[in-house]
Amino acid sequence: MKNLLIAVFLLIAHHTLAQLKEIRNIQHKLPFIKNEKARIDALNQLAFFMQLKSPDSSYHLANEARELATKLKYKKGMADAYKTFGGLLLDQNSYLCARYLHDALDLYREIGFKQGEAMTLMNISNLLYVDRDSTHARAYLMQAYRLGQTLKKDSVLAIILINMLYRDTCIQCAHMDIQFKKGLAIAQKYHDERMILSYQQLQGYILWNRGDCAKGVKILENELPLCDSTGDEFEKMNIYQRLCDWLIDKQPDKALYYYRQALSEADRYKFPLRSIVFAGSLYDYYRSKNNSKEALKYAAIIMDADHKKEQELKKYNFNTIGFIIRDTDLKLAVERERAADRLLVFFIILSILVLVLLFVVYRSFRISKKYALLQAELKERTQARNLELEQWNDFYDMLLSVLAHDLRQPFSSIIMTTDLLNFKKNIFSEQELVKTIRELKDTAEQSIELLHGILCWIKARKTGFQYKTQPLLLYDLINEANSLCLFDQRKENIRLINEIPKKQIIHAHEQMLLFICRNILSNATKYTMPGGRIRVYTFLSANKTVVAFEDKGKGMSSEEISKLFSISDKTILENAAVQ
């Protein structure tokens, strides 16, 4: 991990940090540049140089360049801005970094700008190293190297070479020396002090790996003040990392001093990934020394930084090479879609010709299809109408059974009483006659009320019945339902015992509940032995009020019970006929 992070930003460090003099020179000239494309190039160049010196300023400069370039459709200006955005996000947000770098790569390839393409390939390689995908990272770096060899201006090749020398551990010593001399010669040819400084650091790294530790350390320590003079904070971080890793075993006090200096300056220069690395090294050291107090201090720094980065990665659920592959797949899909569109146009033309030739056949088919649809619709309506008639037929059957059951009794009572009055005029006293006539009147009124309820039911059925409840006094409703049975009950000396509390209220549909209670009381009266009792009472069961009718009749068989709630059963009419 340490070796990876040492090299992770070599691309940025090797060509974004210009001399302060050069930065100030661009800042001085910028307000006087009239040509818009030249101004965009200057903004991008300044943003590129200031990536590590001042990230916020770099972002604003690159964003201004991007907006102007987009307006002018200046693709190189757009690509340069995207490349800067990618460099700024290299250790912050892998998803957005890859997005910007890939957009830059596409634009560079589109306009044939090989230098920008090589730099962007190298940036993608660095991003893949961050994601620990060394296989693909090496492949991208080799693409950049091969492309760099074809460029007329070989300064980019010096940057690519130093990246390869740091990262590729498989390079033979002799070959490494050749590549080192080649890259250093390029830097010296262009008098690039910044690049020469980087190759001197690389020389110290090579000497250390070959066993000349003291000389390697000496070279790096001599470079520290040079970094301060050139304003090269990032290179200073690299040197600190090397010195600390080399000295921690042999000179721990000196290494710890460099670690603390490096951590302090990483925070001051806003290098979050470097802060994690330095804090992690200090944590590992103090933990190995069983110094938990110091170890916990640096663990807190690591956890805080890791948490922020983890949240950012979770937000995008990103893998760099996966993104690149997906983006390539997207391009292939677009190409396939374009080919499909062309094929579609061909088939549309062909279809039009076929439709013209088969127009008559098509019209005939359409007419026959329309006729079939009309037939199907008519059949569906007929079936619906038959079903509706069948439902109405069931309803009328039920209605006839209700009429036969509920109206037979009161009219039978009226007929029997009038017969007595016609044929046995002296059988009643004047007082009994008045009472009998009053009872006949009550029976007739109740029969009319019953008939009125049935008519209301029929009307509700025809207009779309809705079950609406109302508060009812259950005691009075039972007495009202029983009124049509009083004549038969008195004749057989049957007594109704209504044990329901007089003020008990239930919510129900009045006519439906009257039909139900009247039917039950009529059956109870019919099957109760002379001198018997019919008891009505209520009790609670599972938070519900249960109304119970109790008599001493013969009861029903299991087959009769199973048919109780079958409205369409024709035995309803048969039962009504025998009553």
Side-chain angles (χ1 to χ4, degrees):
M1 179 65 179
K2 290 180 181 178
N3 290 332
L4 170 63
L5 292 172
I6 289 169
V8 113
F9 304 113
L10 287 174
L11 171 61
I12 300 174
H14 290 154
H15 64 283
T16 64
L17 290 177
Q19 300 289 336
L20 292 175
K21 182 180 177 181
E22 188 174 355
I23 293 175
R24 289 168 184 163
N25 185 42
I26 298 173
Q27 289 173 331
H28 176 72
K29 290 181 180 180
L30 190 61
F32 305 102
I33 299 175
K34 301 301 181 183
N35 183 279
E36 290 184 319
K37 289 187 177 180
R39 178 176 175 79
I40 292 169
D41 289 338
L43 285 169
N44 275 322
Q45 188 178 16
L46 186 59
F48 199 44
F49 286 154
M50 297 182 70
Q51 282 185 76
L52 296 175
K53 188 70 178 175
S54 179
D56 291 340
S57 299
S58 177
Y59 170 78
H60 289 298
L61 290 165
N63 194 50
E64 183 181 352
R66 179 189 61 83
E67 290 176 353
L68 291 173
T70 303
K71 185 178 179 181
L72 293 175
K73 297 182 180 180
Y74 179 35
K75 293 183 179 180
K76 180 181 179 300
M78 294 165 60
D80 288 342
Y82 290 146
K83 181 158 60 68
T84 300
F85 289 152
L88 287 169
L89 294 167
L90 195 58
D91 67 332
Q92 300 293 329
N93 187 313
S94 294
Y95 175 80
L96 292 178
C97 177
R99 177 71 269 177
Y100 285 128
L101 291 178
H102 202 65
D103 288 345
L105 184 63
D106 288 342
L107 288 171
Y108 284 137
R109 285 174 172 171
E110 185 177 343
I111 63 177
F113 186 56
K114 301 297 184 181
Q115 183 175 340
E117 182 182 348
M119 291 180 179
T120 307
L121 286 169
M122 191 160 46
N123 251 336
I124 294 174
S125 172
N126 279 288
L127 181 58
L128 289 167
Y129 272 111
V130 171
D131 281 355
R132 301 184 182 183
D133 189 349
S134 58
T135 302
H136 289 97
R138 190 177 295 109
Y140 272 91
L141 190 56
M142 289 306 298
Q143 287 185 53
Y145 174 69
R146 286 191 292 270
L147 188 58
Q149 289 181 310
T150 66
L151 299 175
K152 292 182 180 179
K153 188 175 180 179
D154 52 4
S155 57
V156 174
L157 184 59
I159 303 169
I160 298 171
L161 284 171
I162 201 168
N163 274 269
M164 291 178 62
L165 292 170
Y166 268 119
R167 289 193 174 129
D168 198 341
T169 57
C170 298
I171 299 177
Q172 299 292 330
C173 291
H175 186 61
M176 180 179 286
D177 291 339
I178 294 171
Q179 299 287 34
F180 176 84
K181 290 177 182 179
K182 183 177 180 180
L184 181 59
I186 294 171
Q188 290 171 342
K189 179 175 69 174
Y190 292 104
H191 305 288
D192 188 345
E193 295 179 3
R194 175 64 207 87
M195 186 58 64
I196 293 170
L197 188 66
S198 297
Y199 270 93
Q200 288 174 353
Q201 184 190 160
L202 176 59
Q203 186 181 20
Y205 171 70
I206 294 171
L207 288 171
W208 175 275
N209 285 339
R210 292 179 180 177
D212 197 347
C213 302
K215 195 171 181 179
V217 170
K218 186 68 174 177
I219 289 174
L220 295 188
E221 288 179 334
N222 289 338
E223 283 200 353
L224 286 175
L226 294 176
C227 293
D228 290 331
S229 65
T230 58
D232 192 350
E233 293 92 357
F234 192 87
E235 193 66 37
K236 194 174 183 181
M237 294 296 103
N238 286 338
I239 295 172
Y240 275 137
Q241 184 71 65
R242 292 293 182 194
L243 288 172
C244 293
D245 290 347
W246 292 351
L247 297 173
I248 193 66
D249 293 328
K250 297 181 179 180
Q251 301 180 46
D253 292 339
K254 193 173 184 179
L256 291 174
Y257 167 77
Y258 281 133
Y259 268 132
R260 294 190 186 97
Q261 285 291 108
L263 182 58
S264 174
E265 294 187 26
D267 291 338
R268 179 152 52 93
Y269 298 141
K270 296 181 180 179
F271 295 139
L273 194 57
R274 291 290 188 173
S275 296
I276 295 173
V277 174
F278 293 135
S281 297
L282 288 167
Y283 169 77
D284 290 339
Y285 176 78
Y286 283 113
R287 189 179 63 172
S288 67
K289 300 299 181 182
N290 296 322
N291 188 339
S292 57
K293 182 179 179 181
E294 288 295 322
L296 288 174
K297 181 173 73 174
Y298 295 109
I301 296 173
I302 298 168
M303 290 176 65
D304 182 59
D306 279 344
H307 177 71
K308 291 178 182 177
K309 194 163 187 68
E310 182 182 354
Q311 292 301 113
E312 190 70 19
L313 291 175
K314 282 184 178 179
K315 179 180 177 182
Y316 294 97
N317 189 22
F318 176 75
N319 172 274
T320 305
I321 193 63
F323 167 79
I324 296 170
I325 292 171
R326 285 199 305 273
D327 204 74
T328 303
D329 290 343
L330 180 61
K331 290 180 181 178
L332 293 174
V334 171
E335 290 299 324
R336 286 195 296 269
E337 187 176 351
R338 289 175 181 171
D341 289 341
R342 290 192 291 269
L343 189 62
L344 180 61
V345 170
F346 171 76
F347 277 114
I348 288 173
I349 297 172
L350 183 63
S351 298
I352 292 172
L353 294 174
V354 172
L355 287 174
V356 170
L357 293 174
L358 300 176
F359 180 70
V360 176
V361 177
Y362 170 74
R363 287 199 59 178
S364 300
F365 170 75
R366 188 174 179 182
I367 292 170
S368 62
K369 185 177 180 181
K370 186 176 181 180
Y371 178 76
L373 289 173
L374 289 174
Q375 288 287 91
E377 185 179 353
L378 180 61
K379 182 180 178 181
E380 186 178 345
R381 289 183 179 180
T382 303
Q383 289 176 344
R385 182 61 179 167
N386 290 339
L387 180 61
E388 183 180 358
L389 291 173
E390 191 175 318
Q391 291 173 346
W392 273 103
N393 187 54
D394 290 342
F395 174 71
Y396 287 135
D397 287 347
M398 180 187 67
L399 187 61
L400 287 173
S401 71
V402 170
L403 290 172
H405 189 279
D406 287 359
L407 289 179
R408 177 190 292 254
Q409 190 68 36
F411 284 118
S412 297
S413 300
I414 292 171
I415 291 170
M416 290 176 63
T417 304
T418 54
D419 286 343
L420 288 173
L421 291 175
N422 285 331
F423 298 108
K424 297 181 180 181
K425 295 182 179 179
N426 299 324
I427 195 171
F428 297 114
S429 64
E430 183 178 351
Q431 186 177 7
E432 289 175 335
L433 183 61
V434 170
K435 181 179 179 183
T436 301
I437 292 173
R438 187 181 297 114
E439 288 178 350
L440 281 174
K441 179 177 180 295
D442 291 341
T443 301
E445 288 177 347
Q446 291 164 0
S447 299
I448 290 172
E449 183 66 25
L450 170 62
L451 185 59
H452 175 72
I454 292 173
L455 292 174
C456 289
W457 185 13
I458 295 171
K459 182 179 178 181
R461 179 69 171 79
K462 293 185 71 176
T463 57
F465 175 75
Q466 290 185 349
Y467 182 82
K468 294 182 178 180
T469 63
Q470 63 185 94
L472 302 170
L473 287 169
L474 185 58
Y475 179 85
D476 294 340
L477 189 135
I478 293 295
N479 288 336
E480 183 180 350
N482 190 63
S483 60
L484 295 178
C485 303
L486 285 174
F487 185 84
D488 288 338
Q489 289 173 354
R490 288 171 182 167
K491 186 174 67 175
E492 298 295 335
N493 194 24
I494 296 172
R495 181 182 171 194
L496 175 69
I497 302 175
N498 190 346
E499 297 181 358
I500 298 172
K502 292 184 177 182
K503 294 186 178 182
Q504 183 170 358
I505 295 176
I506 64 170
H507 292 266
H509 189 284
E510 183 177 12
Q511 292 301 326
M512 289 182 69
L513 189 58
L514 277 171
F515 287 149
I516 294 168
C517 294
R518 194 181 294 120
N519 188 281
I520 295 173
L521 289 168
S522 175
N523 288 335
T525 302
K526 179 180 177 181
Y527 293 108
T528 297
M529 301 296 292
R533 299 289 183 266
I534 300 173
R535 179 184 173 215
V536 184
Y537 59 94
T538 61
F539 62 88
L540 289 175
S541 176
N543 296 324
K544 294 181 181 179
T545 300
V546 178
V547 183
F549 296 82
E550 184 181 287
D551 62 66
K552 300 297 183 181
K554 67 177 184 178
M556 290 185 292
S557 66
S558 58
E559 183 180 357
E560 290 172 327
I561 291 173
S562 67
K563 295 179 180 181
L564 269 178
F565 300 102
S566 178
I567 295 177
S568 61
D569 199 308
K570 301 306 178 185
T571 56
I572 295 176
L573 292 175
E574 296 171 3
N575 292 339
V578 300
Q579 288 182 5

